[in-house]
Amino acid sequence: MNLTHAILAALLYIVAAPVLAGLLAGVDRIISARMQARIGPPLLQPFYDLFKLFQKERIAVNKTGHFFLLGYLLFTIIAGVEFFIGGDLLIVIFALALGSVFFVLGAFAAGSPYSHIGAERELIQLMASEPMLILSAMGFYVATGSFQVHDIWSRPDLLIVILPGMFAGLVYVLTIKLRKSPFDLATSHHAHQEIVKGITTEFSGPYLAVIELAHWYETILLLGFLYLFFAPWPWLAVLALAAVYFLEILADNTNARLYWQWVLRSSWIFTAVAGAGNLVVLYYLSRGGTP
Amino acid sequence: MANRTVIPFGPQHPVLPEPIHLDLVIEDEHVVEAIPSFGFIHRGLEKLAEKRDFTEFTFVAERICGICSYIHGMGYCQAIESVMGLEIPERAKWLRTMWAELSRMHSHMMWLGLLGDAFGFENLFMAFWRVREGLLDIIEETSGGRVIFGAAKVGGIRRDVPDDLLARIPAQLAKIEAEMRPITDVFRDDFSVRQRLCGVGVLSQKDAYDLGAVGPVLRGSGVAVDTRLEGYAAYDRVQVEPIVESDGDCWARAMVRIREVYQSFEILKQVLPNVPAGPVDMKVTGAPNGEFFARLEQPRGEVIYYVKGSGKKQLDRFRVRTPTFANIPPLLKMLQGCQLADVPVIVLTIDPCISCAER
Amino acid sequence: MNAPVQRYVEVQPDALLEAVRAQQLTGSRLVQICCTKLAGFELTYSFARAGAFDHVRVQIPDNTVKVPSISPIYSCSFAYENEIHDLFGLSFLGLNIDYKGTFYKTTIPAPMVGTPVCGAPAPKDKGAHGE
Amino acid sequence: MTKHPLKMTKVALENLFQKPATVPYPAVRKPVYAATRGRIAIEEAKCILCLICDKKCPTGAIKVDRPGKTWAIDRLLCIQCGYCVEVCPKKCLGMENLYSPPVSAKAMDVVNVPFTPPPPKPKPPPASATPAATPAPEAGKE
């Protein structure tokens, strides 16, 4: 990928990701509402919410927290850009993790106990989801011999066939990353938790919008991750992603929030069984395959 | 060593939409002690009784609480009637029973939804509230109000319900019952729900009794006390069995309420066809002179109305002991040793109505 | 009606704990404590068990007299006793959890004593003006 | 009593393919019932300014001005109990089953009453006439 292409891809991601994710959030809210037998908001409601948040008064409990939030947004965008220009998968994962750490630090910066509890919950969620993300990078490497996203998506064979466990594992932690029940410990998009969610307690108007925006960038990046499994067949990929997202919404609407212990334990077990298991099988297959 | 922190819980923070403040002493995510504070919205309603005409005070009594409103009004009237020795008409007694049960059902349904919300199950919350709408429609059609019935009156009831309407209600109730089955099954069977409720906030049978718990909290811990058995209104002529669960945890309390809703359907099946014809109120002359403690079963538990009059239009003393008030000491017991994430759920399982606890 | 007959047992303040303990021995639970301002204060402790609903009643001449707390017998009585302390200004001896007047944070101390606070004239015959 | 961990999934999927239970308020409104307590209305032609509703209103929402010949109600204070309707001797008050429209400021709804009280004492209305007949000045209730 040459430089012009890279810059174009980066710009496209920066501009299109929030639009796409916002629309997705709108669809999410309508489907959620229908599952709850409600009419639900209009499709563009997430955008209305975002613009409204940007217009709200800035009340700062602690300015440092805001700095960290910008870090969250910035590093999430960097992770996304790195991914969509076909860069190094490891850098993507680390930048994404760094972004989340900034978010946690932002919440820790305020003195409120709620904010601290929320930040601790978010850290636990990071601990639960990060191993699977790193493992998936290893899976891609073993399968394709490269950490470069560009190399991975330009391969002609369908990676889902050899990495089904990785895919399942990623879908599992996607529930954590998308903040869906039963794994919505630190924050969620449920009507009641909109105000109550711990980690964002001490942030106001525009900063909440920044968090939402960063979350949107993150969502598109994670869906991009899943896209890699189906890269040669774009239509199948779109269908699979839609199915995955629908399952996430369904899970959100049919589960209670579980304890953090449960989230951590189950996601690690799932990572170990599906992710690491897949890796081991793949490793032996590739060893056995090469003469 | 374990790190102790104090987490302030409520009332400004909307974790729990009730004006109670709990200082939670936390040791590694476990609650060691909970210290409540009240008095954020104390309204002095008991004092207000000393300046209102005793018949007019019915309106105030009905507004002690927004959810168990009807039984508050009815209990107040019952206390006054007992002091004055009034025997109200039969039709009024049966209609009171009907409304009391409708009120219990809608309160329990609301609570079940709120409990779902407390553990982050948004869909369950919406589902119960949706089904509850059907009950509110019946209430509105019969009494004119959706949550504040406005139907209580010293000496009977304020409005009659036409017989053709009474004949239509059973079909509506049957529809609601059918809609309810699948979602109450969720409470009973769903994996994630059971994870959050079973074994959480256990209150032993002895503690429940000794600490003066009432209503579903007491029955959830295996004590069969139900004030409806005392047979006020028309309860002496319908079949009422106390609903008892033995586990004493949050799940048991939820089960008690679910089964009570179904029990209310059964009670209404006995009540509706048996409402006798006749007048619904009687003329009340004079003023109460004497005292009486009336006990009724509210959705939240046993409630006490004390009325003392000395032959004047204004009462000397009116007191109501709401079930939430009696359930506070057991709540503090339940909270000890629970996880932080369980606090909203446990607080909710006493069905707190702090506003009505602070008359 | 199959409601039990309500019995009132009038006791002296120093015999209160004894009467309450007698109730506990019968296996009753504490239903409520009610304070009424008459010439003095009338405290009614209600107890219920299957088929019985009893009231133990004491007269407290004025709020300088300390009332023995029944919280050693019924530990849940702290809620009622703190309430009575905050609304009527009575003090209790030996309270297990004493809020020291912060249970209800009212603007007027002991608002339930004396004339109605809302502005309407009180019934004339009540000689109960705020202490 | 079988354990079925996915009960809610069935409910959610059923809901997804059914008509929503909610209505797009305020474009569509729920039907009201004949008994619904909505708002107090007055037939001013029948009113005799007897002040009973003013005296009996539990929240003091109704203010009747005899010399000024007006009947007024504070819609935000009114609790829709319908007590005034019950006590009105001329049955000129009624409970409409429509709700009061939303307002952005507190205001009294004032109605001019055409009734002219006869110069001597007006004929006392039947029920609890004594307090109403005495032309009490605006009782400062609260």
Side-chain angles (χ1 to χ4, degrees), chain A residues 169-243:
Chain A
L170 275 181
V171 169
Y172 197 86
V173 298
L174 188 69
T175 320
I176 298 175
K177 284 286 181 191
L178 288 181
R179 316 196 177 294
K180 299 282 189 198
S181 277
F183 301 151
D184 49 349
L185 296 180
T187 169
S188 83
H189 289 93
H190 287 184
H192 189 182
Q193 265 75 24
E194 289 275 295
I195 338 168
V196 183
K197 46 188 176 183
I199 191 161
T200 57
T201 303
E202 300 302 333
F203 297 118
S204 63
Y207 300 101
L208 288 173
V210 167
I211 294 171
E212 188 64 16
L213 204 57
H215 179 62
W216 287 359
Y217 278 113
E218 198 180 358
T219 306
I220 293 299
L221 170 58
L222 291 167
L223 291 178
F225 239 88
L226 295 182
Y227 182 89
L228 289 183
F229 287 92
F230 304 93
W233 294 6
W235 283 113
L236 181 66
V238 171
L239 271 180
L241 291 191

Side-chain angles (χ1 to χ4, degrees), chain B residues 115-161:
Chain B
L115 185 65
D117 186 58
F119 49 67
F121 205 146
E122 197 182 28
N123 201 355
L124 205 53
F125 165 70
M126 296 287 180
F128 273 102
W129 281 50
R130 182 182 75 239
V131 177
R132 173 175 172 259
E133 280 301 303
L135 285 170
L136 293 186
D137 285 345
I138 298 178
I139 292 169
E140 185 177 358
E141 210 173 347
T142 50
S143 75
R146 286 178 81 78
V147 285
I148 307 272
F149 292 33
K153 177 184 185 178
V154 176
I157 54 174
R158 284 185 65 212
R159 63 168 75 219
D160 197 2
V161 181

Side-chain angles (χ1 to χ4, degrees), chain C:
Chain C
M1 294 272 262
N2 27 7
V5 180
Q6 303 190 13
R7 291 188 304 141
Y8 290 87
V9 186
E10 191 89 27
V11 296
Q12 290 303 313
D14 49 355
L16 173 67
L17 288 183
E18 212 174 296
V20 171
R21 195 159 283 126
Q23 286 292 339
Q24 193 204 23
L25 288 178
T26 60
S28 300
R29 71 197 161 87
L30 177 68
V31 169
Q32 64 96 35
I33 304 174
C34 171
C35 179
T36 306
K37 178 77 177 91
L38 302 168
F41 297 87
E42 182 183 85
L43 287 177
T44 313
Y45 297 74
S46 307
F47 301 91
R49 59 181 183 276
F53 191 25
D54 297 343
H55 308 285
V56 174
R57 178 163 275 177
V58 281
Q59 305 290 345
I60 308 293
D62 58 70
N63 63 6
T64 55
V65 179
K66 290 209 189 283
V67 188
S69 165
I70 64 161
S71 60
I73 306 166
Y74 286 97
S75 63
C76 59
S77 75
F78 77 89
Y80 303 103
E81 289 172 344
N82 276 298
E83 181 186 49
I84 291 168
H85 172 265
D86 291 0
L87 297 182
F88 291 89
L90 283 181
S91 321
F92 289 85
L93 268 183
L95 200 50
N96 59 351
I97 304 174
D98 193 350
Y99 278 77
K100 300 192 167 57
T102 58
F103 195 70
Y104 287 138
K105 299 168 197 84
T106 50
T107 332
I108 308 162
M112 301 281 279
V113 182
T115 54
V117 287
C118 304
K124 291 279 182 314
D125 54 332
K126 285 208 28 199
H129 291 280
E131 270 102 327

Side-chain angles (χ1 to χ4, degrees), chain A residues 35-38 113-114 117 121 181 190-193 195-196 201 253-262, chain B residues 7-10 13-15 29 117 119-123 126 130 190-193 195-196 200 339-342:
Chain A
M35 283 183 179
Q36 298 166 5
R38 293 187 287 122
Y114 299 112
I117 293 168
R121 297 275 191 267
S181 277
H190 287 184
H192 189 182
Q193 265 75 24
I195 338 168
V196 183
T201 303
N253 277 298
T254 52
N255 278 295
R257 181 176 306 127
L258 291 170
Y259 298 110
W260 64 263
Q261 294 93 329
W262 208 94
Chain B
I7 307 266
F9 183 82
H13 201 260
V15 175
E29 288 257 339
D117 186 58
F119 49 67
F121 205 146
E122 197 182 28
N123 201 355
M126 296 287 180
R130 182 182 75 239
D190 188 84
F191 170 75
S192 59
V193 170
Q195 284 284 317
R196 292 304 304 270
V200 173
Q339 283 198 50
L340 183 59
D342 290 330

